[in-house]
Each structure stands twice: as C-alpha cells, then as structure tokens.
Amino acid sequence: MFRSSMTMLLFALCLAAPAIFAATTAPQAEDAVPLVPPAPLFFRSEWTVTPRQHPVMQSDLANQELELKLYGPSGKQIATASQGAPSMTGAAPTHVFTGLCEQTCAAALRDKNNFVDLSGLGKIRWITKVSGLHRIHPIIKLADGTWLLGEHEDGQLFDFHPSEFTLAESRWIKLDIDRVVTRGNWLDRREVDLSKVDEVGFTDLMPGSGHGDGGFMDMGWIEVYGKPVPRMGH
C-alpha cells in the first residue's frame, strides 16, 4: 500500500512539474520590457531631375518644405546630376556629387516647421555610392547649435545601395561645421541628446578628385524617421 501511494504521488508531481516550472520562470507583468514603437517618417528628400550638372541649390529639392544648407570651404561646389551609369537596382537616381569639392564640404536639410526627435528608434535611410576611400557619415545640428558627426559610415564602390541605421546606436564626435573637420574625442552616447535635432545631413570629410573615379560621394534620396517637435512660433 505504501509503495503504491508513493508511486501515485511521484506520478502526480511529474504531471505538475511543467506548470510549476512555467509559473516560477515566467516574467512578471511588471518586469516586462515595454515595446518601443517604430519612429514615423519625418521627411523624405529627393532631387529633381536636371538636364545638366550644376551647383546644387534650393530649387533642386523635390520637397520644398525642407531647406537646403551647404557647409564647408567647398560647400557651394557640391553638384547635382541626373546623368550616370544605370544602377544594378534600376536607373541611377538623381543625386548630389562631391567630386568637384576642392576642399571639405557638407550638406544638410532642415524642416521649416519642426525639429525632429531622433532618440529611441529614430533612423536614417538613404541610397548612396562612393569612389576611392570616401565614406559617407551622418551629421546633425542640435537645437542648441552643436554640430555632431556620427561614427556610422556607408559607401559601396560598385553601385548605388540603399541602407539604414538607428542614430541612437552610433557614437558621435563634435564637428567644426565651418571647416567640416571633427574635434575632440568620441562622446559618451549618454551625453548626446537626440530629442531635438535642427538639421540632418551628410559629409565624407574629404576633398573630391573631380570627374571620373578617384574620390567622391553620391547621395540620392534620404529618409529621416523620427517624431516632429514643433518650432516655437509655428
């Protein structure tokens, strides 16, 4: 009788073990990590088709809710072009070209009515192509006027390629926007407040080599994902 009772008790414990284990290991509701919603599209910028290459200007922006800003000793030498070899992903996009920049140059875009909150899952998507050792870095201007350059870099030599990255994952370094050169050391990510960004742009930190292969960057369309933060007075 005793052996039979022990056998039945062990059998009951075996049946109950999975439920007991699940109850002790399941995360409690208050410990659950909240899901972060994806950032909405803040803006998409493309360049209008042009019959010939020329220095890029405000009228070349397809989205006129944005302001085009050019920086650096050779910022005004950044050109726009519709011509180019067909891309493996289709027709080569209309793009800006830094090959004519005799010194460093950069470009940025500013929404006329809003800052953008790029914290959390704020991200950038763009389509780019480079030549030589050039690599494209994101640059941002914070609401307090501070300029930063992101460690993230893109650059495929063979063809235009789309790519995307989350800004909160990048390290940042201060940028002298007048000369388009970096200053100081990499900042601690916790020191960089991405919640109110005034301008978003790009640079390759290098002079161009002219037409033909050698050294340049091409930037096609660019998308910025983040929450709008109204500017005062709008």
Side-chain angles (χ1 to χ4, degrees):
M1 176 67 72
F2 176 76
R3 180 177 298 177
S4 176
S5 298
M6 287 297 296
T7 300
M8 293 183 67
L9 177 61
L10 289 173
F11 180 70
L13 287 173
C14 289
L15 291 177
I20 295 172
F21 179 77
T24 57
T25 59
Q28 301 299 312
E30 59 269 20
D31 297 330
V33 177
L35 294 177
V36 179
L41 177 65
F42 179 62
F43 71 68
R44 176 184 171 96
S45 177
E46 298 175 283
W47 311 99
T48 58
V49 175
T50 178
R52 59 181 179 83
Q53 181 175 289
H54 63 266
V56 67
M57 60 187 70
Q58 177 68 31
S59 59
D60 292 314
L61 281 177
N63 182 354
Q64 286 295 309
E65 291 300 311
L66 305 175
E67 294 178 327
L68 174 65
K69 305 286 189 174
L70 303 175
Y71 296 105
S74 289
K76 293 183 179 180
Q77 294 177 317
I78 299 175
T80 182
S82 302
Q83 306 299 321
S87 166
M88 295 295 290
T89 55
T94 303
H95 55 276
V96 291
F97 166 69
T98 64
L100 302 182
C101 292
E102 297 175 351
Q103 301 182 65
T104 53
C105 55
L109 298 168
R110 176 182 184 271
D111 183 271
K112 296 177 180 179
N113 300 312
N114 299 284
F115 297 106
V116 59
D117 180 355
L118 295 175
S119 60
L121 295 181
K123 68 179 181 180
I124 290 175
R125 295 185 69 241
W126 56 24
I127 186 166
T128 61
K129 179 184 176 183
V130 300
S131 177
L133 298 177
H134 289 233
R135 295 294 181 268
I136 302 172
H137 292 269
I139 61 173
I140 57 175
K141 179 185 178 183
L142 305 182
D144 65 3
T146 301
W147 278 96
L148 301 174
L149 176 136
E151 183 180 27
H152 179 89
E153 62 179 33
D154 274 315
Q156 296 291 330
L157 303 177
F158 183 65
D159 194 11
F160 281 95
H161 283 270
S163 57
E164 66 178 62
F165 54 94
T166 304
L167 279 77
E169 295 178 299
S170 182
R171 289 195 302 172
W172 298 89
I173 192 169
K174 288 187 176 180
L175 180 69
D176 180 339
I177 195 61
D178 293 326
R179 297 188 297 142
V180 190
V181 295
T182 57
R183 297 190 292 109
N185 300 312
W186 292 108
L187 301 174
D188 188 314
R189 289 184 179 89
R190 294 170 295 182
E191 299 176 7
V192 179
D193 183 1
L194 299 172
S195 64
K196 189 180 287 188
V197 174
D198 186 20
E199 298 180 28
V200 179
F202 46 87
T203 183
D204 52 6
L205 291 174
M206 298 173 68
S209 64
H211 291 291
D213 292 336
F216 63 80
M217 58 153 273
D218 289 336
M219 170 64 66
W221 51 258
I222 176 173
E223 296 177 343
V224 174
Y225 290 78
K227 293 175 288 186
V229 180
R231 299 181 185 275
M232 295 298 292
H234 289 275

